[in-house]
């Protein structure tokens, strides 16, 4: 993916050939191996699998549902069908002759009509070629009337009845027969020149239909006229003439109120259907025949007109007629197609690969490649420091710092541009090394420092000193340390909305207040040893005293804390809560078998025996107890 046209309306090349002519297979493979790891090709990707032909492509169209792309090419004559849902080639099919143009008769690819250069019409289905028929003369274009299921084929030469008019053949697909052709004036009365294959033979070059509006049919001729026919009356209703050159492209606007035409000398004109004078007239600039005209609409409602010749594609503003943007591929263009409701433009060209261009200002990416929007957004955020990969742009002060000013105007090594010069990248590196021999060591030290700073990012760089609430600030920094996002200027500490929390004395947290001690019972209070337990109570003068009396009693007691055990109390009975010290004498004494009576805690000390001495000591003799009964009557055995 490459930004091919930087400017106010950027254009991105998604796919397409990088050379003007196709390379041999052996040379292309060698170049791909050598450029595999080059910076230009690291981020390249294949949008559609096998989106190419062996030699060139002739025509390309997108189905109405947007799920299929059909294209025809050579050599050998064939056409491909790509599935946009799978981003791959669905199937390819060879034909007997080369394809001139084709139409998709159904919302998908299942019904297609192909005009071949051997005067034949082929109807194709997913199973193959369904039917083939021959035309009396060579056809130039195809148009389809959905209301009456008629195919219109503008042809070359004069009619056979000697009337001196050209013909537009009509094929009724419902009945399967040819209807009476429409006669179009092609401006010749010479029978010799009107023969098939004559030098100056007239022809009907192009046809278009206002399908979704009034339904008029327009035909462009070789004498520079446009004739309009009404399918309901089967006759001519108007003629537009006075054009320089042949009419090679026609297209109705979406509302059907205007029509755009292109001529063989590169002129583009837009007409209102109610006015014979053109709204604007533009020159493509190349002097080549216009191949395609397409009316487009941006997401903001602006209307654009796309015109394409052999060399360049231009988009014009319909209201002002100003040039909006342009696309100039490296190969010759044969046909252009636009993906509906998107900014994607596809081209069939003389190169091996077909082109895909994406214009974000024209619309979003199609649904089948919506990821292009994110890629374009990332590329727009990148900083472009250099205009070319192999050249570095330097201003005059930078040249003086590198001692290269003596080359200005004396060599081609410095190419002037704007307020500076372009210098070859190798020359720039060498001059920078000569001017500062220690530049590599400085660069290395700089990178080492950046790496060390990056490793220290998870550590606390310093203590945030604030006027009030220092403990709260330290607590916040501790939480940032646990998340490995330490920054004294981030979060609450760096937010100006909470600045008074650490500066104004009115926002200071009083840790000695009762509210703070109730909310934070385990917080260490100055003047006391240990933490406050949640079960702590303050002894009051009476159970029914108010909060103020409790506070006075606490102060009179000298803030003395007495630990008590809460027990159940029957209604109206005496309180059974007593202190620990008064309960100790009432407990049952410990058994005399133990060493003394223990109240509370007891300390036990012992000295471990050495395993070495225990191993060296003799085993103790087993001594029989005197009280044990002996089964023997031998008196000596008892001693």
């Amino acid at each position: 993916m490459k930004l091919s046209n930087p400017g106010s309306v950027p254009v991105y090349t998604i796919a397409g050939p990088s050379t003007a002519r196709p390379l041999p297979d052996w040379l292309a493979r060698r170049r791909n191996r050598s450029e595999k790891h080059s910076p230009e090709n690291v981020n390249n990707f294949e949008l559609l699998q096998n989106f190419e032909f062996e030699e060139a492509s002739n025509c390309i169209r997108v189905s109405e549902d947007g799920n299929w792309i059909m294209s025809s090419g050579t050599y050998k004559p064939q056409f491909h069908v790509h599935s946009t849902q799978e981003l791959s080639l669905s199937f390819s099919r060879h034909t007997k002759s080369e394809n001139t143009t084709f139409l998709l008769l159904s919302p998908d690819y299942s019904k297609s009509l192909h005009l071949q250069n051997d005067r034949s019409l082929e109807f194709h289905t997913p199973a193959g070629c369904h039917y083939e028929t021959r035309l009396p003369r060579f056809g130039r274009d195809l148009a389809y009337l959905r209301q009456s299921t008629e195919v219109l084929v503008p042809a070359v030469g004069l009619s056979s009845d000697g009337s001196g008019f050209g013909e537009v053949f009509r094929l009724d697909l419902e009945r399967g027969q040819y209807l009476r052709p429409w006669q179009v004036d092609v401006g010749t009365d010479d029978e010799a020149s009107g023969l098939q294959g004559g030098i100056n033979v007239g022809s009907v070059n192009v046809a278009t239909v206002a399908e979704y509006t009034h339904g008029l049919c327009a035909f462009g001729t070789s004498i520079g006229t446009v004739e309009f026919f009404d399918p309901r009356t089967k006759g001519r209703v108007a003629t537009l003439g006075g054009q320089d050159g042949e009419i090679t492209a026609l297209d109705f606007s979406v509302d059907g109120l205007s029509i755009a035409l292109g001529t063989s000398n590169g002129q583009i004109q837009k007409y209102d259907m109610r006015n014979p004078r053109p709204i604007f007239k533009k020159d493509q600039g190349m002097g080549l025949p216009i191949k395609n005209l397409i009316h487009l609409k941006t997401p903001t409602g602006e209307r654009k007109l796309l015109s394409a010749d052999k060399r360049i594609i231009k988009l014009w503003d319909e209201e002002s007629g100003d040039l909006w943007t342009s696309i100039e591929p490296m190969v010759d263009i044969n046909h252009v197609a636009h993906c509906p409701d998107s900014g994607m433009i596809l081209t069939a060209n003389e190169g091996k690969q077909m082109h895909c261009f994406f214009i974000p200002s024209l619309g979003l990416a199609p649904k089948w490649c919506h990821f292009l929007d994110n890629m374009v957004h990332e590329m727009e955020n990148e900083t472009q420091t250099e205009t070319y990969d192999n050249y570095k742009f330097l201003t005059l002060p930078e040249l003086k710092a590198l001692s290269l000013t003596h080359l200005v105007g004396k060599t081609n090594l410095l190419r002037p541009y704007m307020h500076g010069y372009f210098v070859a990248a190798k020359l720039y590196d060498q001059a920078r090394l000569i001017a500062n021999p220690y530049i590599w060591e400085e660069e290395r030290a700089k990178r080492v420092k950046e790496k060390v700073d990056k490793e220290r990012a998870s550590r606390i760089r310093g203590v945030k000193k604030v006027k009030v609430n220092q403990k709260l600030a330290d607590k916040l920094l501790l939480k940032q340390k646990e998340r490995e996002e330490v920054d004294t200027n981030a979060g609450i500490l760096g937010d100006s909305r909470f600045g008074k929390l650490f500066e104004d004395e009115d926002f200071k947290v009083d840790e000695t207040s009762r509210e703070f001690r109730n909310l934070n019972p385990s917080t260490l209070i100055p003047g006391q040893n240990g933490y406050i337990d949640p079960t702590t109570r303050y002894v009051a003068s009476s159970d029914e005293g108010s909060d103020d009396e409790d506070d006075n009693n606490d102060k009179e007691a000298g803030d003395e804390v007495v630990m008590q055990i809460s027990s159940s109390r029957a209604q109206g009975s005496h309180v059974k809560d007593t202190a620990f010290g008064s309960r100790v004498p009432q407990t049952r004494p410990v058994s005399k078998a133990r060493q003394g009576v223990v109240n509370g805690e007891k300390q036990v000390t012992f000295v471990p025996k050495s395993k070495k001495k225990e191993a060296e000591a003799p085993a103790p003799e087993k001594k029989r107890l005197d009280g044990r009964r002996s089964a023997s009557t031998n008196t000596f055995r008892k001693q």
Side-chain angles (χ1 to χ4, degrees):
M1 186 171 177
K2 184 179 180 181
L3 180 60
S4 57
N5 187 13
S8 59
V9 184
V11 179
Y12 296 87
T13 302
I14 309 300
S18 57
T19 56
R21 60 182 62 183
L23 298 175
D25 293 339
W26 61 272
L27 183 57
R29 288 194 296 267
R30 179 183 296 178
R31 177 170 293 186
N32 292 337
R33 287 195 299 268
S34 61
E35 296 181 354
K36 181 178 180 181
H37 302 288
S38 63
E40 297 181 1
N41 298 327
V42 169
N43 297 326
N44 287 354
F45 65 95
E46 187 178 12
L47 182 63
L48 291 172
Q49 177 196 11
N50 296 331
F51 196 60
E52 60 184 19
F53 285 89
E54 282 76 2
E55 184 176 348
S57 51
N58 299 328
C59 185
I60 184 171
R61 296 189 188 275
V62 184
S63 62
E64 292 182 6
D65 56 7
N67 296 330
W68 305 94
I69 299 176
M70 181 177 287
S71 55
S72 61
T74 188
Y75 178 80
K76 300 178 180 180
Q78 56 188 302
F79 67 89
H80 294 172
V81 176
H82 286 81
S83 172
T84 58
Q85 301 297 322
E86 302 295 336
L87 297 179
S88 62
L89 178 64
S90 180
F91 68 90
S92 62
R93 185 176 299 164
H94 290 270
T95 56
K96 294 184 295 183
S97 59
E98 189 175 348
N99 183 269
T100 302
T101 184
F102 66 88
L103 286 179
L104 294 174
L105 304 179
S106 61
D108 54 2
Y109 77 97
S110 58
K111 296 179 182 179
S112 59
L113 174 61
H114 298 257
L115 175 63
Q116 307 296 97
N117 61 359
D118 61 347
R119 291 194 302 144
S120 65
L121 282 176
E122 293 184 1
F123 296 85
H124 283 263
T125 62
C129 183
H130 179 72
Y131 183 75
E132 181 181 357
T133 182
R134 296 276 291 181
L135 293 170
R137 287 187 298 277
F138 289 96
R140 287 291 183 89
D141 198 8
L142 288 176
Y144 183 53
L145 292 173
R146 295 186 184 274
Q147 292 80 2
S148 57
T149 65
E150 294 181 15
V151 175
L152 307 178
V153 187
V156 181
L158 303 179
S159 60
S160 58
D161 58 1
S163 60
F165 288 92
E167 290 181 327
V168 177
F169 298 111
R170 300 164 58 204
L171 177 59
D172 193 333
L173 301 183
E174 184 178 0
R175 291 185 289 180
Q177 66 180 15
Y178 283 100
L179 303 179
R180 183 178 179 179
W182 286 339
Q183 294 186 350
V184 180
D185 186 10
V186 293
T188 179
D189 295 329
D190 189 358
E191 296 182 0
S193 63
L195 296 176
Q196 179 68 34
I199 297 177
N200 298 320
V201 64
S203 63
V204 184
N205 294 331
V206 65
T208 185
V209 179
E211 184 176 356
Y212 300 104
T213 53
H214 44 70
L216 289 181
C217 303
F219 303 98
T221 66
S222 58
I223 61 174
T225 60
V226 180
E227 296 193 6
F228 298 89
F229 282 74
D230 192 343
R232 298 169 293 181
T233 60
K234 313 298 181 184
R236 185 186 298 107
V237 294
T239 301
L240 179 63
Q243 308 301 325
D244 297 333
E246 302 182 10
I247 304 299
T248 57
L250 286 173
D251 188 61
F252 278 104
S253 61
V254 179
D255 53 10
L257 297 179
S258 62
I259 185 172
L261 59 90
T263 62
S264 58
N265 55 8
Q267 300 294 324
I268 304 164
Q269 298 183 19
K270 180 184 177 182
Y271 285 87
D272 193 306
M273 296 294 293
R274 299 158 292 187
N275 191 349
R277 296 182 179 180
I279 300 176
F280 65 81
K281 184 178 180 180
K282 293 295 178 180
D283 190 354
Q284 189 79 353
M286 298 293 180
L288 300 172
I290 304 298
K291 291 181 175 291
N292 284 94
L293 289 173
I294 305 175
H295 285 83
L296 305 174
K297 191 175 182 180
T298 63
T300 58
E302 300 178 2
R303 295 186 177 182
K304 308 298 179 182
L305 177 63
L306 183 146
S307 61
D309 59 7
K310 187 179 180 180
R311 298 287 181 84
I312 193 171
I313 301 173
K314 291 187 177 182
L315 282 84
W316 311 85
D317 193 329
E318 285 194 21
E319 296 182 359
S320 61
D322 297 334
L323 180 63
W324 193 53
T325 188
S326 61
I327 306 171
E328 189 173 3
M330 301 183 65
V331 294
D332 294 342
I333 302 171
N334 291 329
H335 191 262
V336 179
H338 173 249
C339 294
D341 302 327
S342 69
M344 180 73 71
I345 296 176
L346 310 176
T347 64
N349 40 258
E350 289 297 326
K352 184 177 180 180
Q353 297 177 349
M354 291 182 286
H355 272 294
C356 291
F357 298 102
F358 179 51
I359 307 176
S361 301
L362 186 60
L364 299 176
K367 295 181 180 179
W368 48 273
C369 57
H370 58 86
F371 53 86
L372 292 179
D373 294 327
N374 296 333
M375 297 180 63
V376 169
H377 182 68
E378 293 177 359
M379 294 182 64
E380 289 178 351
N381 294 335
E382 293 180 358
T383 303
Q384 302 293 334
T385 57
E386 297 181 2
T387 307
Y388 301 100
D389 296 334
N390 299 329
Y391 289 88
K392 176 71 174 179
F393 180 79
L394 298 177
T395 60
L396 189 59
E398 293 176 344
L399 286 176
K400 291 181 179 179
L402 297 177
S403 301
L404 295 177
T405 54
H406 65 283
L407 300 178
V408 176
K410 298 180 181 181
T411 179
N412 293 328
L413 298 176
L414 299 182
R415 300 183 180 182
Y417 181 80
M418 299 292 287
H419 60 283
Y421 299 86
F422 277 111
V423 184
K426 293 183 179 179
L427 176 61
Y428 170 72
D429 294 337
Q430 294 176 0
R432 189 173 59 165
L433 182 60
I434 294 173
N436 185 6
Y438 303 100
I439 187 172
W440 300 117
E441 288 76 4
E442 294 176 358
E443 184 69 19
R444 181 178 179 276
K446 179 181 178 182
R447 293 187 178 183
V448 170
K449 184 178 181 300
E450 291 177 355
K451 186 176 181 180
V452 172
D453 293 342
K454 185 177 180 181
E455 293 178 354
R456 292 176 177 176
S458 60
R459 304 176 184 177
I460 298 179
R461 304 189 185 112
V463 180
K464 181 75 173 181
K465 296 298 182 180
V466 294
K467 295 182 180 180
V468 294
N469 299 330
Q470 182 64 43
K471 290 186 177 180
L472 179 59
D474 297 341
K475 184 178 180 182
L476 294 175
L477 286 176
L478 183 60
K479 289 183 178 181
Q480 291 185 7
K481 180 181 177 180
E482 294 175 355
R483 294 194 301 264
E484 298 183 355
E485 299 177 356
V486 178
D487 190 356
T488 57
N489 295 323
I492 298 179
L493 297 176
D495 197 337
S496 59
R497 297 176 297 176
F498 302 96
K500 292 185 178 181
L501 184 60
F502 304 99
E503 298 177 358
D504 196 346
E505 293 288 342
D506 296 338
F507 292 92
K508 183 178 180 180
V509 179
D510 186 8
E511 297 182 355
T512 60
S513 63
R514 182 178 181 184
E515 290 78 5
F516 180 84
R517 298 170 72 180
N518 289 336
L519 294 175
N520 304 275
S522 60
T523 303
L524 183 63
I525 302 300
Q528 294 186 1
N529 296 326
Y531 290 92
I532 303 299
D533 191 79
T535 59
T536 303
R537 290 188 180 182
Y538 301 95
V539 179
S541 58
S542 61
D543 295 339
E544 299 178 355
S546 61
D547 295 339
D548 297 336
E549 296 176 355
D550 293 341
D551 296 340
N552 295 332
N553 293 332
D554 294 340
K555 294 179 181 179
E556 295 176 359
D559 292 340
E560 181 181 359
V561 180
V562 180
M563 302 297 294
Q564 294 183 349
I565 298 178
S566 301
S567 59
S568 60
R569 177 178 64 179
Q571 185 174 2
S573 60
H574 184 68
V575 180
K576 297 182 180 180
D577 294 340
T578 55
F580 282 110
S582 61
R583 288 197 175 193
V584 172
Q586 299 178 3
T587 56
R588 189 170 56 183
V590 186
S591 176
K592 294 182 179 180
R594 301 180 182 179
Q595 298 179 1
V597 179
V598 179
N599 295 329
E601 298 180 354
K602 179 181 180 182
Q603 294 182 356
V604 179
T605 59
F606 65 93
V607 178
K609 297 181 180 180
S610 175
K611 294 183 178 180
K612 183 176 180 181
K613 293 181 179 182
E614 184 177 356
E616 294 177 357
E621 297 181 357
K622 296 182 179 180
K623 186 177 181 180
R624 187 185 298 275
L625 300 176
D626 295 339
R628 184 176 179 182
R629 182 180 177 183
S630 178
S632 176
T633 57
N634 190 348
T635 308
F636 297 100
R637 294 184 61 182
K638 298 180 180 181
Q639 295 180 355

